[in-house]
Amino acid sequence: MPRKFGEIAFTPEVLAAQTERGSRQSYEKYIANGPANDIITSNIKEFIAQLNGFYLGTMSSNGYPYIQFRGGPPGFLKVLDERTLGFADFSGNVQYITVGNLSGNDKAFLFLMDYRHRRRIKIWGRAEYVEGDSQWTEKLQIPGYPAVIERSILFHVEATSENCPQHIPIRYSETEVEAMIAPLQARIAELEQQLSDRAST
């Protein structure tokens, strides 16, 4: 159990709930002896590189959490160093809720999900947005992707945690389904050609 995750997520109220329900002792042992897990490891970096979307959580000034899906080509969420992630913020519905929230509270959360392999990673940290900075725009843009970049968002990692796959449904992306059925379609085309050749003889 990662130590930094416990320091952030296990608030006094959470600790009280764990104590009341009998799980506190186990978690206390895991947290005390667990690794910090406060950097982006090579394993997490590899996981991030294949993602085409993730969920970004921020907190509004009235105390309500806000979660937004961010999508793009695989690799649009970039590992800048072992403690920093970044992505181009593409033009959307111009509500600017995430930007507004980060203006008042930089605490943020990333929920990374791979349904195909039933794997999820949670990342706590602080986020900032940078507007009008060509250096970051150039570094975070995706060549050939037509979306307009409004700003760059940098995420400073404080803790990571990977959950077990329990209850995660297996889902496939359109690209994955196409790759899976391509051999079948090729075989069907081959058999159809064989039938056509026999019918013509």
Side-chain angles (χ1 to χ4, degrees), residues 31-112:
I31 293 298
N33 299 321
N37 280 30
D38 58 353
I39 63 172
I40 299 300
T41 63
S42 58
N43 190 34
I44 296 178
K45 182 177 181 179
E46 183 178 333
F47 176 79
I48 288 175
Q50 54 85 37
L51 291 178
N52 60 4
F54 59 90
Y55 298 92
L56 171 64
T58 56
M59 185 69 70
S60 66
S61 60
N62 60 7
Y64 284 92
Y66 179 72
I67 298 175
Q68 188 175 52
F69 179 80
R70 297 300 176 98
F76 83 101
L77 176 60
K78 298 182 182 297
V79 177
L80 302 176
D81 58 51
E82 65 178 13
R83 295 185 186 275
T84 312
L85 303 174
F87 63 93
D89 192 21
F90 303 128
S91 178
N93 57 18
V94 299
Q95 291 181 343
Y96 301 120
I97 297 176
T98 295
V99 170
N101 287 349
L102 291 177
S103 297
N105 188 339
D106 66 350
K107 291 181 179 178
F109 179 79
L110 292 178
F111 190 87
L112 313 180

Side-chain angles (χ1 to χ4, degrees), residues 12 26 28 48 81-82 91 99 103-105 113-114 139 147 150 154 156 161 190-192:
S26 296
E28 192 168 15
I48 288 175
D81 58 51
E82 65 178 13
S91 178
V99 170
S103 297
N105 188 339
M113 175 65 79
D114 178 359
K139 184 173 292 188
E150 291 193 344
L154 306 178
H156 305 286
S161 177
E190 180 184 353
L191 294 173
E192 287 178 339

